[in-house]
Amino acid sequence: MNSLQISDKKTREALDAKLSQLQKNQHIQEARKEAEKLGIVFVSLSGKIIPTTTVSIIPEKIARKHRVIVFHKDRTGIKIAVINKDDPRVLAIIENLKRNFNLPVEIQLTTEDDLEKAFETYKFVHKISAEGIVKLDPKIIESLTEEITDYRE
């Protein structure tokens, strides 16, 4: 089979971009069909703004390893996007979320491309580390407790 030779750089780049977009659309359609077959919602994470406080519910290392991300959390529940909803490790993460937040967890299916883009949110999560021993003075704690009580009244 002869491969297509395109000498014009702009034409070749435009064709490559179009072929890439067609491939992404095919992956989306396959994921939609799989979600429908599984009886769950398909979610496109492309263009979704995920708060860093939400995405950081699952540490990045674990999220990447198990292909799962929290993309929504409010007082009514948590929504996660996954690639494989039946992965035992994902199921363990879901149970952990339910236990820790006492909220229902809704599983939604997404594509690898969308998941990778959503993982970029982790770049904006502040890395906090603390070392050493924190000493708390009981007098300061008592004083703060009184201030809080006074404020409520």
Side-chain angles (χ1 to χ4, degrees):
M1 181 175 198
N2 294 337
S3 65
L4 185 60
Q5 297 293 321
I6 300 173
S7 59
D8 181 55
K9 185 178 179 181
K10 285 186 179 180
T11 303
R12 185 175 56 249
E13 288 173 354
L15 181 61
D16 287 345
K18 184 65 175 175
L19 290 173
S20 177
Q21 187 59 48
L22 287 171
Q23 189 176 33
K24 285 179 186 177
N25 289 344
Q26 182 180 1
H27 290 151
I28 290 170
Q29 290 309 314
E30 289 169 0
R32 283 183 192 278
K33 286 179 185 176
E34 181 68 16
E36 187 176 321
K37 186 174 95 178
L38 295 169
I40 62 175
V41 174
F42 168 81
V43 63
S44 173
L45 298 173
S46 183
K48 267 197 193 305
I49 297 171
I50 305 171
T52 55
T53 54
T54 301
V55 76
S56 64
I57 290 172
I58 299 175
E60 181 178 9
K61 193 173 185 177
I62 293 169
R64 285 185 181 277
K65 182 176 181 180
H66 302 303
R67 314 306 294 156
V68 59
I69 195 164
V70 176
F71 67 91
H72 179 83
K73 179 188 174 287
D74 62 19
R75 61 183 178 82
T76 63
I78 297 171
K79 293 181 182 179
I80 64 168
V82 301
I83 299 300
N84 179 0
K85 81 169 196 83
D86 295 321
D87 181 332
R89 297 166 299 188
V90 170
L91 297 174
I93 290 169
I94 292 166
E95 288 307 312
N96 191 22
L97 291 172
K98 287 178 184 177
R99 189 172 45 255
N100 288 339
F101 292 95
N102 198 29
L103 290 169
V105 177
E106 182 181 340
I107 306 166
Q108 298 186 9
L109 203 65
T110 195
T111 64
E112 283 285 346
D113 285 341
D114 278 0
L115 192 61
E116 282 302 321
K117 285 180 186 148
F119 283 153
E120 291 178 16
T121 305
Y122 281 105
K123 288 192 271 187
F124 304 104
V125 173
H126 297 291
K127 308 293 184 216
I128 300 172
S129 65
E131 292 183 24
I133 298 172
V134 177
K135 293 185 180 180
L136 299 175
D137 183 348
K139 291 179 184 176
I140 293 174
I141 293 173
E142 185 176 328
S143 171
L144 289 173
T145 304
E146 288 172 11
E147 285 180 38
I148 292 170
T149 304
D150 289 344
Y151 176 73
R152 289 182 186 163
E153 297 171 351

